[in-house]
Amino acid sequence: KQEVTQIPAALSVPEGENLVLNCSFTDSAIYNLQWFRQDPGKGLTSLLLIQSSQREQTSGRLNASLDKSSGRSTLYIAASQPGDSATYLCAVSSLDSNYQLIWGAGTKLIIKP
Amino acid sequence: EAGVAQSPRYKIIEKRQSVAFWCNPISGHATLYWYQQILGQGPKLLIQFQNNGVVDDSQLPKDRFSAERLKGVDSTLKIQPAKLEDSAVYLCASSWTPGRETGELFFGEGSRLTVL
């Protein structure tokens, strides 16, 4: 049964730093992996979707990587800004879960001005 | 392009009362999802529709929860009777991806339910 873990649960860094958020999953037979952002009291916004055949995806200052063999994905945020403060969630779709997304609990990111 | 619309944004009810949430997905999106998100946790899928057919409702507590998507567009999620543990945010999402595979999801802002 697929399980998704995000560690740490919370992270605080000064503005301007580059940072990495981690996501690990137990079953490497995935269909795709998605990273989302959630602002307080809001819904989720899709950031990046990586298909099983891909190793990374980039959008602006964000870069997501995928290593199926080790069951890991990272979200790299370059030159962090206070507006990046939010909770970041990863979710994995796999045949094991009947293609439904299995979610991590998220990492709450605070960027200090 | 209009996003996913949900209402109401907030609802407070007593236990054993009923409540209904409404969702209007992005125009043209065949697939619609209802998720339940408890504070501090990732979302949990309740039901997935493709057009007006149910793809997956395996985690929907069918003794108290019901959902429909008439005409393959808008959807309603109903809880009757509500329990304290139903306090959560109910998120609606849509996707253009047909079939069982999950593509990019677009979420509404959610409906926050408090059961007293």
Side-chain angles (χ1 to χ4, degrees):
Chain A
K1 178 184 173 185
Q2 182 74 274
E3 294 181 3
V4 179
T5 304
Q6 292 184 252
I7 296 174
L11 181 64
S12 180
V13 301
E15 178 180 3
E17 282 198 3
N18 303 324
L19 62 98
V20 173
L21 304 179
N22 298 300
C23 173
S24 61
F25 46 93
T26 55
D27 183 352
S28 62
I30 68 171
Y31 177 68
N32 63 41
L33 183 147
Q34 301 189 46
W35 282 94
F36 294 85
R37 167 185 174 140
Q38 187 169 32
D39 294 282
K42 301 286 189 180
L44 290 90
T45 301
S46 178
L47 297 174
L48 291 164
L49 184 155
I50 310 178
Q51 298 290 357
S52 174
S53 58
Q54 299 173 319
R55 291 193 63 86
E56 66 177 350
Q57 282 282 2
T58 298
S59 176
R61 295 182 294 108
L62 305 180
N63 176 277
S65 68
L66 174 64
D67 183 346
K68 289 188 299 179
S69 62
S70 65
R72 292 170 57 93
S73 175
T74 61
L75 179 66
Y76 174 84
I77 303 176
S80 59
Q81 305 170 358
D84 295 329
S85 297
T87 297
Y88 291 80
L89 296 98
C90 73
V92 174
S93 171
S94 59
L95 179 59
D96 168 70
S97 63
N98 206 21
Y99 297 108
Q100 298 302 339
L101 289 177
I102 305 299
W103 296 77
T107 295
K108 182 176 182 179
L109 177 64
I110 298 173
I111 307 298
K112 298 175 290 185
Chain B
E1 177 183 82
V4 176
Q6 289 189 247
S7 67
R9 288 294 316 279
Y10 305 94
K11 190 74 175 179
I12 301 174
I13 61 173
E14 301 277 337
K15 61 183 179 184
R16 291 187 289 274
Q17 288 187 324
S18 63
V19 63
F21 302 113
W22 172 83
C23 174
N24 181 246
I26 292 174
S27 178
H29 280 195
T31 306
L32 184 148
Y33 305 80
W34 282 102
Y35 285 92
Q36 179 193 60
Q37 186 178 26
I38 293 172
L39 188 64
Q41 298 181 15
K44 168 190 167 184
L45 178 70
L46 293 176
I47 190 166
Q48 175 188 354
F49 292 97
Q50 183 179 332
N51 297 313
N52 60 351
V54 175
V55 175
D56 189 333
D57 64 355
S58 58
Q59 298 189 92
L60 185 74
K62 299 180 183 66
D63 58 332
R64 298 184 301 105
F65 286 64
S66 64
E68 61 181 8
R69 189 183 184 197
L70 298 176
K71 301 180 182 178
V73 182
D74 293 6
S75 178
T76 56
L77 175 70
K78 297 179 182 178
I79 307 174
Q80 181 178 13
K83 292 185 175 181
L84 297 177
E85 59 260 37
D86 298 332
S87 294
V89 177
Y90 291 86
L91 295 164
C92 179
S94 68
S95 170
W96 66 267
T97 306
R100 303 193 71 88
E101 292 83 359
T102 301
E104 184 179 9
L105 298 186
F106 295 83
F107 282 84
E109 293 200 320
S111 295
R112 181 177 297 275
L113 173 65
T114 301
V115 182
L116 302 176

